[in-house]
Amino acid sequence: MEFVDYYKILELDKTASADDIKKAYRKLARKYHPDLNPNDESAKKKFQQINEANEVLSDPEKKKKYDQYGKDWKQSEAYEKAGQQQNRQQSTQSNSQQFSGSDDFSDYFESMFGSAGRSRQTQFRGQDYNYELHLNLTDVYNNHQQTLSVNTKNIRLTIPAGVENGQTIKIAGHGGEGSNGGPKGDLYLTFVIKNNTAFKRDGNNLSVNVDIDLYTAVLGGEITIDTLSGKVKLKVSPETQNNTKVKLKGKGFPVYKKENEFGDLYITYNVKLPVSLTDKEKELFTELSKLQHHGK
């Protein structure tokens, strides 16, 4: 089996920390993502290698085995058992004999079990893959279907409405191939959701600031506002104060995997004072001010 240098793929050295690995993976995954490199087979292959490298190096146990056994890290348990048997059989030999190179282990394994030894060893489950899917907030307001290209295979899946930024879901059986007839690994899909709206999301609830003019705030009236499900007419009560909050029930964000359930939309009124007043307007405001003071 050809040795794959996962550190080289992520442009790191073996002293890289877990944080270094995470940062390198995110940077390179964005650079070579198939959505940003359509019809580019070399970029697609590079993206797959990056996912595979991250899958191993981001897992402390897998990383430890990879650092020790190299290309044969998946067979580490078999090698360790074989090494223990060898030590028992050759107890009179020097205890200083070590098997640290991956090629030495491969040769030793075959010398004990023959060329068919590898095929008779324990089945190993395939690698799990990690994949980031970048979407806009409006993309996940409704259920929608999307096709992903993972490890040269297209996976068509339905994205449920209401998924959260950073949420990870598991797609069973879409990871790497198993060894010696072992089961496939799984695909872990993490959502990276960009808010492309004026609304602030807090779980299933949304909030937004809405400007109203002074006259509507004082006298009351009707305004039209935008929601993610369309425009809504809203009555403003007379003498509405600045920063007044109102709730529109059921006009928030969909609840994940709960059909026809939504959070609420919270609106904060921002009363805008008039500018560039005419002399007549200033005169009327002066009269209003006098009436206010006279009434008190």
Side-chain angles (χ1 to χ4, degrees):
M1 182 186 298
E2 181 182 355
F3 177 67
V4 180
D5 190 335
Y6 292 144
Y7 289 100
K8 186 176 180 181
I9 289 173
L10 294 182
E11 300 176 2
L12 297 169
D13 56 41
K14 288 190 175 182
T15 62
S17 66
D19 191 50
D20 292 334
I21 293 169
K22 183 177 181 181
K23 289 179 180 177
Y25 165 70
R26 288 186 173 181
K27 175 185 174 182
L28 293 171
R30 283 193 293 268
K31 180 178 179 181
Y32 291 100
H33 196 285
D35 291 347
L36 300 179
N37 301 274
N39 302 319
D40 188 338
E41 291 300 322
S42 62
K44 182 185 295 186
K45 182 177 180 181
K46 182 70 173 178
F47 184 74
Q48 293 163 3
Q49 291 175 337
I50 292 166
N51 274 297
E52 181 178 337
N54 180 67
E55 162 62 25
V56 175
L57 298 184
S58 64
D59 185 311
E61 287 299 318
K62 292 180 180 178
K63 181 178 182 296
K64 180 180 178 181
K65 292 178 181 179
Y66 175 78
D67 288 343
Q68 183 174 0
Y69 296 105
K71 67 182 177 68
D72 295 313
W73 70 273
K74 286 186 179 181
Q75 286 77 37
S76 59
E77 292 183 8
Y79 290 155
E80 289 169 358
K81 290 179 181 178
Q84 291 170 3
Q85 182 178 348
Q86 166 73 358
N87 287 335
R88 285 195 298 269
Q89 293 175 347
Q90 299 181 357
S91 58
T92 58
Q93 294 183 359
S94 172
N95 291 329
S96 64
Q97 183 178 6
Q98 299 291 328
F99 294 95
S100 58
S102 60
D103 289 336
D104 292 338
F105 267 101
S106 299
D107 296 340
Y108 169 67
F109 194 88
E110 290 190 6
S111 70
M112 287 193 66
F113 299 102
S115 60
R118 291 183 182 273
S119 63
R120 294 199 301 266
Q121 63 187 335
T122 305
Q123 294 179 338
F124 289 93
R125 182 176 175 276
Q127 296 178 17
D128 291 333
Y129 289 155
N130 294 292
Y131 187 99
E132 284 188 354
L133 180 58
H134 294 251
L135 298 169
N136 287 326
L137 186 64
T138 50
D139 293 331
V140 294
Y141 184 76
N142 297 295
N143 294 338
H144 75 281
Q145 290 189 327
Q146 186 146 345
T147 300
L148 308 179
S149 179
V150 180
N151 199 27
T152 71
K153 295 181 180 180
N154 290 331
I155 304 173
R156 187 170 179 81
L157 69 156
T158 298
I159 308 297
V163 297
E164 294 269 5
N165 180 49
Q167 182 177 345
T168 299
I169 62 175
K170 182 178 78 171
I171 305 173
H174 285 282
E177 296 288 339
S179 299
N180 304 307
K184 290 183 178 180
D186 299 323
L187 169 63
Y188 289 88
L189 185 63
T190 300
F191 294 95
V192 180
I193 301 174
K194 176 184 177 182
N195 189 347
N196 62 328
T197 74
F199 302 98
K200 180 180 178 181
R201 183 183 183 186
D202 182 11
N204 301 317
N205 296 323
L206 298 174
S207 60
V208 67
N209 293 332
V210 174
D211 292 340
I212 58 173
D213 60 56
L214 176 64
Y215 311 105
T216 302
V218 173
L219 302 175
E222 188 176 79
I223 61 174
T224 301
I225 65 168
D226 291 317
T227 72
L228 289 181
S229 59
K231 294 184 179 297
V232 171
K233 288 185 177 180
L234 192 61
K235 288 185 177 180
V236 179
S237 302
E239 301 181 10
T240 293
Q241 301 297 307
N242 189 46
N243 292 324
T244 295
K245 290 180 171 59
V246 295
K247 179 176 77 172
L248 296 186
K249 187 173 179 60
K251 288 296 181 180
F253 215 71
V255 180
Y256 180 67
K257 286 192 173 181
K258 291 189 177 180
E259 195 72 22
N260 297 321
E261 287 193 29
F262 294 81
D264 302 321
L265 171 59
Y266 292 87
I267 296 170
T268 301
Y269 288 130
N270 180 29
V271 179
K272 303 292 288 184
L273 297 179
V275 296
S276 303
L277 297 175
T278 65
D279 291 339
K280 181 63 177 177
E281 288 172 328
K282 291 178 181 179
E283 181 182 337
L284 291 173
F285 272 110
T286 300
E287 290 184 22
L288 284 172
S289 178
K290 289 178 181 180
L291 286 172
Q292 282 284 88
H293 287 90
H294 180 72
K296 294 179 181 179

